[in-house]
Amino acid sequence: MPDTHPTPTPTPTPTAPGGGLVPAPLSIDGPGSGTVRLGADTALAAGTGTEGTARWLRDTLGAAFGLPLPPGSGKAPDTLALAVDPALPPEGYRLAADARWGVRITGGGPAGVFWGAQTLRQLLGPQAFRRAPLTPGCAAVLPEQTIEDAPRFGWRGMLLDVARHFLPKDGVLRALDLLAAHKLNVLHLHLTDDQGWRIEIRRYPKLTEVGAWRERTKLGHRASPLWDERPHGGYYTQDDLREIVAYAAQRHITVVPEIDIPGHSQAAIAAYPELGNTDVIDTTSLKVWDTWGVNPNVLAPTDTTLRFYEHVLDEVLALFPSPFVHIGGDECPKDQWRASATAQARIAELSLADEDALQSWFIRHFDRWLTDRGRRLIGWDEILEGGLAPGAAVSSWRGYAGGIAAAKSGHDVVMCPEQQVYLDHRQHPSPDEPVPIGFVRTLEDVYRFEPVPPELTAEQAAHVLGTQANVWTEVMDSQQRLDYQVFPRLAAFAEVAWSRLPAPAARDYQDFTRRMAAHYTRLDALGVGYRPPGGPLPWQKRPGVLGRPIDGAPPNV
């Protein structure tokens, strides 16, 4: 799991970033007058703790340049040497390129070595991001220089919503590669919602037999008159998820699973109607939801429901070693609980004040359950309502306020305010933006996002574990649409999460755009269908599909 608090600033003095690197490193000494060439004779010397990065380098740089990178001792002059030095921060690294001996990457830990290797890949140009050499015998060349670097935050994440639109396993593995290329280290995988259940639970097979499939899908915003009449669905087998978790771990990325409770649960209720409020509605009539919004059908606060989700989470914990498990807790309408004799009896039995307190009881139950098993609960900021679960961490999505309140009360926070870093929001006010949702959040807006509110003291700010960009997929029904919404803004977000930037107004956006000119060529080599600076290409537009644009600047709440 990533470090849970910001890494102390290392000793090098920051200098103006250069080399087209994204995110910007802490310091660069150079480039010098000479160059370092990695060729057929270059050996790869992997010290203890760096073996995983050595394998990754052979798979990537070896393939891109046709380099064998045979094992070496590190004593030959033409060497790519990897080593661990605990004196550096755990995710920090030093990359030194010198024509006299080659390249040395030293990390404070295995993760630091890996992030240094990602920087090396960027320094070698867009060719390093291809899967085969463009010309036989092409050289990998970089200028002499020394780079010292370490991240600002230990949690540098992206939420990927695979519940609304399912992304096949290969797409998730591709997303992990893209996160790693930007030095992001958390994938928050949103696995369940009203529109689909995406994780195989062997004890309850109907969750995927029934809950993973919907009959049709709303096209665009929920007010749109258009429908895609094709059935939609899919799920990950437990072996798929083991593969995803292992692939992520090789890239020093933690996969945090989300099982949404007690709201956003219609897919589960459609599979197992006893989970719903059966004394209020006929839950046997419910199907996997085919449209978007806040759904009124929520879990019943019964012992049956608690035992069911404990069994689900037993299997989740066996698949995901993440210290954190996300249980949602957001957008849970209380109307059915108000009308339910069963829910009201539970409120009376527990001497609770109201339905908000009933939701808090629900969350606290799973907080204790996870704590007893050595894990930590994290949930959306609604878990603050009715009393914050002890030991729980908060994903602050409705703005900064929930995160501020949680940090001030001594709880850990991941900042992901929708007004700033929801990447489903549109990137430009132009009517050509495909399915425009929400506020305009340009590349510059994301670059000027600051995760730590100024209201927090230094002690309170230490509870900000980091930050996360959220990718909700109601209107993203393909990899092409995902690429367009996520990039290039994820590159700006990655710099916010990694680099020690000045205050938002003082950030050098022009320098960032200069470095992005080089970074676009890397994204091109990777085949990423990002939004071009000049606007969408013809095939990226979605004319006639209704969105929900919101005018004006987003509130700072």
Side-chain angles (χ1 to χ4, degrees):
M1 183 67 201
D3 297 340
T4 54
H5 295 95
T7 305
T9 303
T11 51
T13 302
T15 62
L21 296 175
V22 177
L26 186 64
S27 70
I28 297 178
D29 182 9
S33 57
T35 59
V36 177
R37 183 182 182 279
L38 305 181
D41 296 329
T42 299
L44 177 54
T48 302
T50 73
E51 297 86 356
T53 297
R55 285 191 296 271
W56 181 85
L57 283 167
R58 289 192 177 98
D59 288 343
T60 54
L61 298 188
F65 294 100
L67 300 178
L69 295 175
S73 65
K75 298 178 181 179
D78 187 9
T79 300
L80 172 53
L82 311 177
V84 170
D85 179 358
L88 296 172
E91 290 193 277
Y93 67 88
R94 179 187 304 111
L95 185 156
D98 191 300
R100 294 170 296 178
W101 34 258
V103 178
R104 294 174 184 164
I105 299 174
T106 307
V113 177
F114 182 71
W115 304 131
Q118 292 289 349
T119 295
L120 173 63
R121 191 185 192 190
Q122 289 198 17
L123 291 171
L124 294 174
Q127 168 62 47
F129 292 81
R130 297 191 178 274
R131 298 186 184 183
L134 297 184
T135 56
C138 61
V141 178
L142 68 157
E144 290 185 310
Q145 59 196 293
T146 299
I147 298 172
E148 301 223 14
D149 203 5
R152 179 186 180 189
F153 293 109
W155 185 303
R156 306 180 302 280
M158 185 185 84
L159 175 143
L160 181 59
D161 169 20
V162 296
R164 271 52 175 271
H165 278 102
F166 178 65
L167 186 66
K169 181 191 69 177
D170 284 354
V172 178
L173 300 179
R174 176 179 183 264
L176 288 166
D177 280 332
L178 291 170
L179 294 184
H182 293 84
K183 299 187 175 74
L184 297 173
N185 68 343
V186 175
L187 175 65
H188 174 171
L189 204 55
H190 182 75
L191 288 163
T192 72
D193 216 294
D194 300 303
Q195 296 85 1
W197 184 283
R198 307 297 179 211
I199 171 174
E200 177 191 23
I201 301 298
R202 291 174 177 167
R203 183 165 184 153
Y204 299 117
K206 288 182 181 178
L207 285 171
T208 46
E209 291 171 1
V210 175
W213 309 94
R214 59 179 181 262
E215 294 178 353
R216 63 176 187 169
T217 300
K218 175 66 70 173
L219 274 181
H221 183 251
R222 61 181 176 272
S224 166
L226 303 177
W227 293 89
D228 182 343
E229 297 292 347
R230 296 173 299 174
H232 176 84
Y235 66 93
Y236 309 109
T237 68
Q238 294 200 359
D239 282 347
D240 289 338
L241 290 166
R242 290 186 183 95
E243 179 184 356
I244 287 168
V245 168
Y247 194 83
Q250 291 171 353
R251 287 146 183 80
H252 300 276
I253 296 172
T254 299
V255 182
V256 176
E258 180 178 356
I259 305 297
D260 216 334
I261 54 176
H264 288 290
S265 297
Q266 183 161 319
I269 298 169
Y272 292 92
E274 65 271 23
L275 297 174
N277 294 284
T278 57
D279 59 347
V280 176
I281 62 165
D282 177 11
T283 56
T284 63
S285 68
L286 294 178
K287 298 180 179 180
V288 178
W289 212 24
D290 57 11
T291 190
W292 321 120
V294 179
N295 189 301
N297 297 304
V298 303
L299 297 173
T302 63
D303 289 343
T304 295
T305 301
L306 296 181
R307 299 293 90 74
F308 183 96
Y309 276 89
E310 288 171 1
H311 296 152
V312 167
L313 289 171
D314 276 333
E315 297 192 31
V316 169
L317 297 190
L319 294 169
F320 295 91
S322 164
F324 286 95
V325 175
H326 206 292
I327 51 73
D330 63 317
E331 296 180 329
C332 179
K334 310 301 191 298
D335 294 343
Q336 289 185 358
W337 288 352
R338 293 186 185 99
S340 166
T342 301
Q344 293 303 310
R346 179 69 87 178
I347 289 173
E349 171 197 343
L350 299 170
S351 300
L352 300 176
D354 54 21
E355 290 75 20
D356 282 344
L358 183 61
Q359 177 169 343
S360 179
W361 165 81
F362 211 115
I363 301 301
R364 286 170 181 266
H365 174 87
F366 287 101
D367 177 57
R368 291 190 297 271
W369 190 91
L370 287 167
T371 299
D372 289 345
R373 288 153 182 80
R375 306 295 183 97
R376 290 187 64 188
L377 180 148
I378 185 168
W380 302 112
D381 55 54
E382 283 95 332
I383 68 173
L384 292 162
E385 298 168 1
L388 184 64
V394 170
S395 299
S396 189
W397 78 273
R398 291 181 294 181
Y400 289 102
I404 292 170
K408 285 185 174 180
S409 61
H411 292 269
D412 289 339
V413 178
V414 175
M415 284 294 186
C416 49
E418 67 166 327
Q419 302 87 352
Q420 312 297 329
V421 288
Y422 268 34
L423 299 185
D424 51 318
H425 283 212
R426 58 192 172 133
Q427 303 182 63
H428 194 275
S430 166
D432 287 336
E433 287 300 303
V435 200
I437 297 294
F439 295 103
V440 173
R441 292 287 83 194
T442 66
L443 183 66
E444 183 173 0
D445 290 330
V446 174
Y447 188 68
R448 298 193 188 280
F449 164 60
E450 172 49 48
V452 180
E455 298 94 318
L456 298 181
T457 66
E459 182 179 359
Q460 294 163 351
H463 286 291
V464 178
L465 303 179
T467 184
Q468 180 172 289
N470 292 346
V471 182
W472 300 104
T473 62
E474 286 94 335
V475 299
M476 292 180 237
D477 54 5
S478 67
Q479 180 176 289
Q480 182 188 74
R481 285 287 292 123
L482 275 169
D483 280 2
Y484 182 90
Q485 290 298 132
V486 171
F487 290 98
R489 292 183 295 180
L490 191 70
F493 173 80
E495 184 146 315
V496 168
W498 177 277
S499 305
R500 288 169 175 77
L501 299 176
R507 292 177 188 172
D508 191 347
Y509 180 68
Q510 293 305 311
D511 176 73
F512 176 73
T513 58
R514 177 187 62 79
R515 288 181 284 116
M516 277 301 299
H519 199 62
Y520 284 124
T521 65
R522 301 176 191 127
L523 296 178
D524 287 332
L526 286 168
V528 176
Y530 56 85
R531 182 190 189 274
L537 298 168
W539 55 88
Q540 293 174 319
K541 300 176 184 179
R542 296 290 295 273
V545 182
L546 183 68
R548 186 181 63 92
I550 303 175
D551 293 329
N556 188 16
V557 294

